[in-house]
Amino acid sequence: GMGDVKIAGGRATAMTASVDGMGDVEFGGTAATLDASVDGLGSVKVAEVTGEVKRSVSGLGRVRVGR
């Protein structure tokens, strides 16, 4: 499908984000851990992760941590 999710800030203990198709997930806060997957043309962007980051990208997508 197609769509975007934007969260300006906050804290997450364990963040999981999945994009299948076209779309973006953007989190402007801090996550303790991140498990992100992108299948298609999309992105997962997280401002800060203090612990483990798992990334899975298939297609033209990307996972980015940091501002």
Side-chain angles (χ1 to χ4, degrees):
M2 189 167 127
D4 297 322
V5 175
K6 292 184 181 182
I7 301 170
R11 293 189 177 274
T13 53
M15 181 175 174
T16 301
S18 178
V19 176
D20 187 11
M22 277 181 63
D24 299 307
V25 174
E26 187 174 338
F27 179 51
T30 301
T33 63
L34 173 64
D35 185 354
S37 66
V38 178
D39 185 8
L41 178 63
S43 66
V44 174
K45 300 174 190 171
V46 179
E48 181 181 10
V49 179
T50 58
E52 182 180 14
V53 176
K54 293 182 184 177
R55 305 168 198 240
S56 173
V57 177
S58 176
L60 297 175
R62 67 182 181 166
V63 175
R64 189 174 85 198
V65 175
R67 295 191 187 268

